[in-house]
Amino acid sequence: MTSAPVAPPRTAARLSPLLRLLILTQLAFNVGFFAVLPFLADHLGQAVGMAGWLVGFVLGLRTFSQQGLFVVGGALSDRYGIRPVVLAGCVLRIAGFAWLGCAERTGAVIGAVLLIGFAAALFSPAVESEVARQAVVHEEAGGQRTRVLALFTVAGQAGAFVGPLLGALLLAVDFRTVCLAGAGIFVLVLAGHAWMLPQRVPGRQRVRLKGGWGPLARNRRFLALCCAYGAYLLAYNQLYLALPDEVERVTGSQSALAWLFALSSLLVVTAQLPVTRWVGSRLSLRRSMATGLLLIGAGFAVVAVSRPAGWTGTAGLLPSAGFVVLLTFGQMLVAPVARAWVPDLAEEGRLGLYTGALSSVSGLIVLIGNSATGSLLAGGLPPAVPWLVLAAVPVAAVGFLPRR
């Protein structure tokens, strides 16, 4: 018999000071980021006047410049350590948000979005790879790596919960104020990490930039995981593309969007650790991810089934709420497990590179998929078709999962 699961508060108390700092880092990052992102699509379409396909492309470009270039940030963190990479990313994020708040033309918007994405491509893989490495150390000391990564996810979602609420309040002024507030949060993050982040992390070896790409490109099991994770990320990004379109259709505005984001974040904050504990004792990593992907597919199917009925108002929001709930529970299963799986597949000393590559491949999938989704949503197809197509993506991704 296995020992009784450790309660979440006790698990948190056993974390190292570095892990606690990195988890709080994720919280702060997401508060600043999600104060802006949920309202970007409406700003691009209404204030800037972009066409639907271009809005989808710009959102995908933001994801690709972030997720797609994670491999660069991950490789740099393997070579130089996490401190300089995290601090540089914070500086770029501050500049990007300030620029976005002032951008009024398509070229300027694209430049600001690229800068915002690349900033995260620096600091996020540095933080995520170190959390994954410290989670393995925690596991060797008797803990569970999936619970550490679940707590990391909870911190991120707590930030994603607070961020949209903050953004919705500031949006009453204007979008520029929202962007400047996001920049201000990252000023505080920069100052805090310049003071608290250690110069060198004990036990972390620095490696050359060259030499890791060939083995990564030949690692079929890792690349299969990247493809499955990319399908999940494409589905998750529909919170910012397909969901706003659906909320606008049924209510005539996007005022309910912040509450749907809050619902998602609240579910993760309250249920992530219990779900991880329950699943960890019953399902393998592969089965956990497969179950999560199927739940996400079911979320899209709920909206697809309801679209022909043409519901509006409060009743029309119910399928969207169902979509958010199923997508969120799928996320709880997929995201921590994917991160926990990477150290088992990564080459020694290249965890940053592999963590970054996981997001880079998925970012490319999102760039292509979001452009297609924008056209799909604006293509005048029968109302259920776009959501059925989106439902098929995570379901098909189950077949890509590597077998242990």
Side-chain angles (χ1 to χ4, degrees), residues 7 42 58 112 134 171 201 227 371 381 399-400:
D42 184 63
V58 169
Q134 292 294 326
L171 198 61
V201 178
C227 290
S371 298
L381 298 170
F400 286 98

Side-chain angles (χ1 to χ4, degrees), residues 194-282:
W195 175 44
M196 300 177 64
L197 202 60
Q199 294 284 350
R200 294 183 62 87
V201 178
R204 181 163 189 146
Q205 299 178 352
R206 299 185 181 182
V207 297
R208 297 175 58 189
L209 290 175
K210 297 181 179 180
W213 303 92
L216 187 152
R218 295 188 294 270
N219 192 330
R220 295 182 179 180
R221 295 177 68 229
F222 174 73
L223 293 177
L225 177 64
C226 290
C227 290
Y229 189 77
Y232 148 72
L233 190 62
L234 175 60
Y236 183 81
N237 267 260
Q238 301 317 307
L239 287 173
Y240 314 118
L241 185 56
L243 182 63
D245 181 77
E246 177 67 8
V247 171
E248 180 84 25
R249 183 188 69 83
V250 299
T251 66
S253 73
Q254 296 191 12
S255 59
L257 194 59
W259 297 104
L260 290 173
F261 278 105
L263 172 63
S264 175
S265 298
L266 184 61
L267 283 173
V268 174
V269 170
T270 57
Q272 177 70 76
L273 291 174
V275 166
T276 299
R277 181 170 59 247
W278 188 89
V279 170
S281 62
R282 292 167 175 82

Side-chain angles (χ1 to χ4, degrees), residues 255-333:
S255 59
L257 194 59
W259 297 104
L260 290 173
F261 278 105
L263 172 63
S264 175
S265 298
L266 184 61
L267 283 173
V268 174
V269 170
T270 57
Q272 177 70 76
L273 291 174
V275 166
T276 299
R277 181 170 59 247
W278 188 89
V279 170
S281 62
R282 292 167 175 82
L283 299 179
S284 66
L285 295 180
R286 187 180 191 279
R287 288 185 177 180
S288 179
M289 283 196 69
T291 303
L293 290 168
L294 292 175
L295 284 174
I296 291 170
F300 286 105
V302 166
V303 179
V305 170
S306 69
R307 283 296 298 265
W311 296 339
T312 58
T314 303
L317 283 174
L318 292 177
S320 295
F323 163 70
V324 169
V325 170
L326 288 170
L327 177 67
T328 302
F329 275 100
Q331 174 196 0
M332 291 183 206
L333 296 178

